[in-house]
Amino acid sequence: MSKSFLTKDRFFDNKNYPRGFSRHGDFTIKEAQLLEKYGVAFNELNLLKRQPVTEEERLFIKMCQGSRKPQTEAEQVWYKYTSYIKRPKRFYTLSGSQLQIDTIEDYVDNDN
């Protein structure tokens, strides 16, 4: 990644990882560092807001579009990140083992 994915900004995702990538537990320390260091470039390439400069970046875009499986370390960590942010959020309850849903019935006032 010598000339690929260069950026001056650090990447943070305060919505999904408000305590940082390394503190959440989904990523190894090395993966978290890669996301923070190159995540802005990964995201811009993924959204096609940035033109690829190197062959590695062109292949990265193809991976993001689903044309190829993640192969490089950069592709694997971005694929992992996007998979985690797209997964449904878990719902925890203290009331038992099954999710309880309250139904709201229409209120009808009968003044007879």
Side-chain angles (χ1 to χ4, degrees):
M1 282 195 278
S2 59
K3 292 189 179 187
S4 298
F5 311 112
L6 294 178
T7 182
K8 295 177 184 174
D9 300 321
R10 292 274 184 205
F11 180 67
F12 301 100
D13 182 352
N14 291 327
K15 179 183 175 191
N16 296 297
Y17 294 95
R19 294 175 287 147
F21 299 115
S22 60
R23 291 186 178 185
H24 195 273
D26 287 343
F27 304 100
T28 65
I29 293 171
K30 186 175 183 178
E31 290 171 337
Q33 290 171 343
L34 282 172
L35 280 173
E36 287 177 17
K37 187 172 182 179
Y38 301 110
V40 171
F42 295 162
N43 193 43
E44 289 175 349
L45 288 165
N46 183 38
L47 298 173
L48 301 177
K49 291 183 176 181
R50 172 181 169 150
Q51 294 298 314
V53 178
T54 64
E55 182 63 20
E56 187 177 12
E57 290 182 354
R58 282 187 270 288
L59 291 171
F60 182 87
I61 290 173
K62 287 183 179 185
M63 183 277 308
C64 291
Q65 295 171 338
S67 300
R68 58 191 291 273
K69 292 185 178 189
Q71 296 174 2
T72 67
E73 194 173 32
E75 292 171 352
Q76 290 170 347
V77 73
W78 187 252
Y79 182 82
K80 184 177 180 179
Y81 165 74
T82 56
S83 297
Y84 282 174
I85 63 171
K86 290 177 186 175
R87 68 181 175 204
K89 301 291 181 200
R90 291 185 177 162
F91 180 79
Y92 296 98
T93 178
L94 298 175
S95 62
S97 61
Q98 292 184 349
L99 176 64
Q100 296 179 0
I101 301 173
D102 292 333
T103 57
I104 301 173
E105 298 177 10
D106 291 338
Y107 177 76
V108 179
D109 188 13
N110 291 332
D111 289 339
N112 292 346

